[in-house]
Amino acid sequence: MNPLRIAVIGHLRHPVAAPFMGGMESHCHLLVRALVARGHDVTLFASGDSDPALPLHGVTDRHYEAVLPWALWRDTDELTEFQQAAFGRAWSVIAGGGFDVVHNNAMHPALHDWARRDGQPMVTSLHVPPFGGLADAVARNAVPWLRQTATSESHLDSWWADAPDTASVVYNGIDTDRWHFRTQGNGRAAWCGRITPNKGTAIAILAARRAGVAIDLYGPIDCMDYYGEKVAPLLGDDCIHHGHLGGDALIAAMGEASVLLSTPMWDEPFGLVAAEAMACGVPVAAVDRGAMREVVGEAGALAPADPDMLADAVRAAMLVPRASCRARVERLFSVDAMIAGYEAAYASAIRASSKASTVAELA
């Protein structure tokens, strides 16, 4: 398609910068870089401490986790006002900036109200299951120039029993130039993510131990109580927490593994870590929740959230040929496929906005 002027709005809880705190930040970083590489004129509206190499317009000096930690300030007027003001600053620039389309990577409800009010074409990536404020905003702003993308078919089904014409699935893309394929592993398992109850770190450790496989943990401690009570007592020579790695260090560490354990205790909309590991040739043993079956496919094995059954999945996954894991990512989860899906959504939103404007002028 012809180059577009695109405003990308990032989530403000963490900076859009490595080492990424989670999948939303990693996705947003890759999205911006890929759109620029495609020839689009992109501006990222995010916290000012995001990656300065990106075409960044800072809407707040620091991400809100640094000043109003979510665990302490969630559902408070202070955090609500912080986000309202920051996103309001972003929208004031967008409204007068001549952008062809907005790619909304955030979860702030007011963005949908503003886009409908101003007739601004907008595509929202729904990274989470439906929750009150965001779900209400999407429902009350059901107009043709506001489109939504889900990250998997199971994610789409969690939002709508019968999805509207404005919604589609766009799988998250993996930068296979960075996530290098490795022909063999080191005989150990890996687990990567925020250490918090809904990521199931402790179950991963128990499953690996019962499978007779040592495990390496990578990621920040997001819940100190959970870490202290459930994870730390399990650490030892066969279970090492390496802290929060990013960039090439994380890619190298993940690629060396012989199996990835993915243990969501909630319905993950996608499972980016699993796809990244598969790009390196690492098969996945996963808890069968959310989109994990859709993402992993033939590149691993799934089980309920039971350490013994997950241990069987670990042993089965380690028999999967590494080349088939890489091939699945190249076939389904490439960056090019992701951007093509988003560009189709952009085009639909822009056409709908133009049509609505023409009808309004003729009325």
Side-chain angles (χ1 to χ4, degrees), residues 263-307:
T263 50
M265 297 294 104
W266 67 299
D267 291 336
E268 288 269 15
F270 184 72
L272 188 63
V273 171
E276 289 169 340
M278 289 157 52
C280 298
V282 180
V284 179
V287 170
D288 194 1
R289 292 287 302 266
M292 294 311 302
R293 181 172 294 271
E294 198 173 336
V295 172
V296 174
E298 73 279 4
L302 295 100
D306 173 86

Side-chain angles (χ1 to χ4, degrees), residues 47 101 143 335:
S47 64
V101 67
V143 292
V335 174

Side-chain angles (χ1 to χ4, degrees), residues 17-19 93 101 114 129 139 142 184 196 198 209 212 240 245 336:
V93 176
V101 67
W114 299 335
Q184 66 181 60
T196 189
N198 71 5
R209 188 162 285 159
I240 301 171
L245 299 186
D336 285 345

